Amino acid sequence: MTSRVETLTPPNTPKPIGPYNHIAKVGEHIWIGGTAGFDPETGQLAGADVASQTRQIFRSFEAMLAAVDSDLNHVTHINVFLKHMSDFDAMNETYVEMMGEHRPARTVFAVQELPKPGVMLTMNLTAVTRQATSPVTR
């Protein structure tokens, strides 16, 4: 039996740090797992500050969403995991820069640690494709 769940890690996105793919998709529904601000070309963090890491996360999201016929305007929810809640305002400024006028639901968590040294935050999201899938008729 084949799975209805499609999983992938598109080119031009950071390599996963564990045994997973960045994207899971079922029909028009998309989930992108925890993503940090690593530049896929260099494998290094985009910068030491929360703004540059936030910007890189959204660039990675753009590439991932494009691979499954979506974009930032079709995001329904974002989780933000901040190492320091004192970075909340700087993250928000870059978030608005990258998201434009689209305001999906969002939750922000303060976390004690993140998996790699120097990582200031990670994010994950849910989205839908640009076009609704046709319902299955029986």
Side-chain angles (χ1 to χ4, degrees):
M1 176 181 212
T2 59
S3 176
R4 295 178 342 141
V5 180
E6 174 187 356
T7 61
L8 67 142
T9 294
N12 303 319
T13 61
K15 183 178 184 238
I17 63 169
Y20 60 89
N21 279 295
H22 285 304
I23 302 170
K25 180 177 177 279
V26 177
E28 67 183 283
H29 301 279
I30 302 161
W31 296 265
I32 295 180
T35 303
F38 287 97
D39 182 326
E41 291 183 23
T42 66
Q44 302 298 311
L45 282 169
D49 62 293
V50 76
S52 59
Q53 290 184 28
T54 300
R55 195 171 291 109
Q56 181 58 54
I57 290 168
F58 278 101
R59 287 182 183 133
S60 294
F61 283 164
E62 287 172 330
M64 292 178 207
L65 289 165
V68 287
D69 189 33
S70 191
D71 54 41
L72 292 175
N73 287 322
H74 288 84
V75 171
T76 59
H77 187 264
I78 296 178
N79 284 314
V80 180
F81 302 90
L82 277 175
K83 191 163 181 188
H84 305 289
M85 198 53 78
S86 59
D87 288 329
F88 184 81
D89 290 339
M91 178 275 299
N92 268 337
E93 286 180 30
T94 308
Y95 182 98
V96 168
E97 170 191 323
M98 299 303 291
M99 288 298 291
E101 295 298 316
H102 183 56
R103 298 288 183 267
R106 188 181 84 176
T107 307
V108 178
F109 301 92
V111 296
Q112 185 172 353
E113 305 184 71
L114 291 164
K116 291 284 190 174
V119 173
M120 305 299 295
L121 77 161
T122 63
M123 294 185 197
N124 64 20
L125 65 76
T126 56
V128 294
T129 56
R130 289 183 187 105
Q131 300 294 317
T133 55
S134 299
V136 176
T137 56
R138 295 184 185 201

